[in-house]
Amino acid sequence: MKNPPKIAKATGKLGILLVGMGAVSTTTIAGVYAIRRGLAKPIGSLTQMGTVRLGKRTEGRAPQIKDFVPLAGLDDVVFGGWDIFEDNSYEAAKTAGVIDDALLQQIRPELEAVKPMSAVFDRRYVKRLDGPNVKKGANKRELADQLGEDIRRFKADNKLDRLVMIWCGSTEVYLTESEAHATVESFEKALETNDPSIPSSMVYAYAAIKEGIPYANAAPNLSADVPALLELAQKTGSPLAGKDLKTGQTWMKTLIAPGIKARLLGVEGWYSTNILGNRDGEVLDDPESFKTKEESKKSVLDYILQPNLYPDLYKDLCHVVRINYYPPRGDNKEGWDNIDIFGWLGYPMQLKVNFLCRDSILAAPIVLDVALFLDLARRAGMSGIQEWLSFYFKSPMHAAGLYPEHDLFIQLMKLKNTLRFLKGEDLITHLGLEYYD
C-alpha cells in the first residue's frame, strides 16, 4: 500500500463556486450561513456530523470526521457562482421556495451579497430554460477563457486561498463521447470550432481543470468524464468527482437493492416514477434531457444486482423509470417504487416505497460535503478521479476498465477507509477474527 500523502493545512479562505444558482445552490448557501450563525444544525452532512471509527471496536475511538482530517471550516467558506438569471442568492432562494421566509430574513444580508456572474449557456443543451445573464464570445474557447478570468478575479477580490467548482446546473441533453473528447489537443480544437459535442457543463469543467481547481458534476451530464479532461486533470492536479447527486429515489435503490441481493431474493420488476415541480422538473420534461437522467438512474440496479453473475435472479429484470413535471409540487419531490420480488421456490412478493422528500434539502449537505472533501483531496495531492466520493453520486466516475461501485454501504466503507489512509490509521476490514485469536 502507498504511504499516506502529506496534507497541506486548510489555511485561509475556501471559495466554493456553484454553477447555477437555483434551488440546490441557494439551499446550500443559505444552510451554511444559517449553521454558522447557530440558527440550524448541519443535519445530513457527513463532514459536519459524521464520525469515523479508528482501530479495534474495543478501543472506543470514533472522532468526528471534521476533527480527524483537516477540512476547511464553515467560517472560512465563501460562495460565488454563475447563473443565467441576475437574481442574487436571496432573491433566487425566495423564487425556489425551499427555505422558510422567517429563516431567510435572518440571513438576508449575507445572501444578498452573493450575486451571480454571467453564465455560459446554450439552449441547445437545456431547451426548457432561457435567461438574460449570459456571456457572449466568438467561440467556446473564448467563453472558457472568460470563465477563467471570472475564477481568478473572484479569488483575488475575496482574498481566497483555494477554490472548488461544482456544477449544480440543469440536466443537459444526452451526449456520448466523441473524437472531440479524445485528447486535450482535440478538445481545445473542438472548443475553437464550436463543436456541438462540447456542452456548457464541459466548458465549465475545462475552465476549472485548466486553473487546477477541483471540479464536481452534480448532474448526469457528460462533463468532466472524458479522456481529454482526465488527461488535463493529471497535468494540473485537479481532483474530479461526479456525477449526478444521489438524493431521492436512486438513494433508496442503493439502500434496498443491496439488501435484496444479500439475501439472494430475485427481482422480476422495478417500476419507479417521480413527480416534482421545480426547475429540474421543468428541464426533465424535455425528452432529450430526461434521456440523460434516465441513463443515470437506470444503471444503478444493473451494477448492484449483477445479472451476469446471478442470471436466475436478475437476468430478466424489467426496470422502468418515469419522471413527471408537476408544478404544484415545487421542490417537494415524490417517488413511488413498486418492486416485484420472488423468494424460496419462486413464490412472488412485493415491496412498495413512497418517498415524499425535499429534493434540495437532501442535495445541499451533499454539495457541501463534496466541496470540502475535494478541497481536502487537492491539498493531499490527489488528482483525477476521486472514486472514494462515489458515495454521493448516482453514476460515479471510475477508471477505464472498471465497473462503478453502487452499493451505498461499500461506498461508505471506501470513503472512510480513504480518510483512515490519509491519516496513516489502519484500514477497517470488518473481519473481526482478531477479537477471538
Side-chain angles (χ1 to χ4, degrees):
M1 183 179 293
K2 297 179 181 178
N3 293 321
K6 292 182 179 179
I7 308 173
K9 293 182 179 179
T11 56
K13 299 283 186 180
L14 170 66
I16 300 178
L17 290 166
L18 303 175
V19 185
M21 301 296 248
V24 170
S25 292
T26 55
T27 303
T28 304
I29 297 168
V32 169
Y33 288 149
I35 291 161
R36 67 190 191 190
R37 286 266 303 273
L39 302 173
K41 298 288 186 181
I43 296 169
S45 170
L46 190 66
T47 61
Q48 304 306 302
M49 300 190 82
T51 62
V52 55
R53 179 191 131 198
L54 304 178
K56 295 181 179 180
R57 282 179 277 166
T58 51
E59 294 177 28
R61 291 194 296 147
Q64 285 199 299
I65 289 172
K66 65 180 181 179
D67 297 327
F68 177 57
V69 292
L71 298 176
L74 296 191
D75 289 338
D76 295 325
V77 167
V78 178
F79 287 102
W82 299 265
D83 199 82
I84 63 174
F85 300 107
E86 296 175 341
D87 296 350
N88 62 46
S89 285
Y90 171 75
E91 296 164 336
K94 289 276 286 183
T95 300
V98 178
I99 297 176
D100 292 340
D101 189 61
L103 179 56
L104 286 180
Q105 292 304 325
Q106 295 183 76
I107 52 176
R108 181 171 179 171
E110 296 100 312
L111 291 174
E112 288 180 331
V114 183
K115 300 174 182 178
M117 296 174 277
S118 59
V120 173
F121 180 76
D122 190 327
R123 283 200 74 189
R124 288 181 295 174
Y125 304 105
V126 183
K127 298 179 180 179
R128 297 295 173 94
L129 291 184
D130 202 7
N133 196 32
V134 177
K135 295 186 187 299
K136 291 180 171 56
N139 54 47
K140 295 176 183 180
R141 179 66 178 267
E142 189 173 304
L143 294 174
D145 290 341
Q146 290 180 37
L147 290 176
E149 292 170 7
D150 288 346
I151 292 168
R152 293 188 292 274
R153 183 172 58 252
F154 182 79
K155 184 177 183 181
D157 289 350
N158 291 279
K159 297 180 174 57
L160 303 175
D161 185 61
R162 308 171 316 283
L163 290 164
V164 173
M165 184 192 293
I166 300 184
W167 172 275
C168 295
S170 297
T171 299
E172 296 171 323
V173 299
Y174 184 67
L175 294 172
T176 56
E177 195 177 302
S178 71
E179 292 181 5
H181 307 132
T183 65
V184 174
E185 183 181 8
S186 64
F187 187 90
E188 292 179 339
K189 183 177 180 181
L191 287 173
E192 292 165 0
T193 58
N194 283 324
D195 193 308
S197 66
I198 309 291
S200 303
S201 64
M202 212 173 268
V203 178
Y204 279 97
Y206 171 78
I209 296 168
K210 190 179 179 186
E211 293 293 320
I213 66 177
Y215 174 82
N217 179 16
N221 317 327
L222 188 68
S223 187
D225 46 336
V226 295
L229 295 183
L230 296 177
E231 176 190 343
L232 185 61
Q234 291 300 326
K235 293 178 180 177
T236 64
S238 292
L240 305 175
K243 56 189 183 179
D244 202 7
L245 296 185
K246 183 162 53 184
T247 51
Q249 192 171 59
T250 307
W251 171 48
M252 288 289 104
K253 287 181 178 177
T254 62
L255 288 170
I256 295 169
I260 292 173
K261 179 185 173 185
R263 292 293 299 271
L264 293 175
L265 298 174
V267 182
E268 185 178 9
W270 197 311
Y271 183 91
S272 302
T273 189
N274 299 261
I275 57 173
L276 70 163
N278 59 12
R279 188 191 295 186
D280 194 31
E282 184 178 6
V283 168
L284 293 173
D285 206 33
D286 172 58
E288 291 186 73
S289 289
F290 171 70
K291 172 68 173 174
T292 306
K293 176 68 78 170
E294 183 183 33
E295 290 296 313
S296 174
K297 289 171 76 72
K298 291 187 75 171
S299 65
V300 170
L301 291 185
D302 290 338
Y303 287 110
I304 291 177
L305 298 178
Q306 296 177 294
N308 58 315
L309 297 181
Y310 303 96
D312 291 338
L313 302 177
Y314 312 118
K315 180 173 67 69
D316 298 321
L317 167 64
C318 176
H319 187 195
V320 178
V321 175
R322 297 285 183 265
I323 298 176
N324 301 286
Y325 178 48
Y326 182 55
R329 190 52 61 96
D331 198 66
N332 296 334
K333 182 168 65 175
E334 184 166 1
W336 294 284
D337 284 88
N338 177 82
I339 311 164
D340 288 287
I341 66 176
F342 56 92
W344 187 248
L345 306 180
Y347 276 79
M349 296 171 281
Q350 288 188 341
L351 285 171
K352 308 281 189 183
V353 180
N354 185 17
F355 188 21
L356 290 85
C357 61
R358 293 174 179 263
D359 204 34
S360 299
I361 294 296
L362 291 169
I366 295 180
V367 173
L368 174 63
D369 282 359
V370 169
L372 297 184
F373 278 141
L374 280 178
D375 174 55
L376 174 69
R378 184 70 178 90
R379 286 183 283 113
M382 301 166 69
S383 61
I385 295 170
Q386 304 299 303
E387 191 181 327
W388 62 285
L389 297 180
S390 297
F391 176 71
Y392 294 109
F393 297 100
K394 291 188 186 78
S395 299
M397 294 179 70
H398 54 90
L402 291 180
Y403 63 83
E405 183 55 70
H406 280 286
D407 185 315
L408 187 76
F409 305 101
I410 294 176
Q411 291 174 333
L412 182 59
M413 188 187 303
K414 183 190 296 284
L415 188 155
K416 291 191 174 184
N417 266 338
T418 300
L419 299 180
R420 295 180 184 107
F421 164 72
L422 288 174
K423 294 292 289 182
E425 290 279 349
D426 291 338
L427 306 189
I428 303 297
T429 66
H430 299 285
L431 184 63
L433 294 179
E434 66 271 21
Y435 301 109
Y436 301 97
D437 290 339

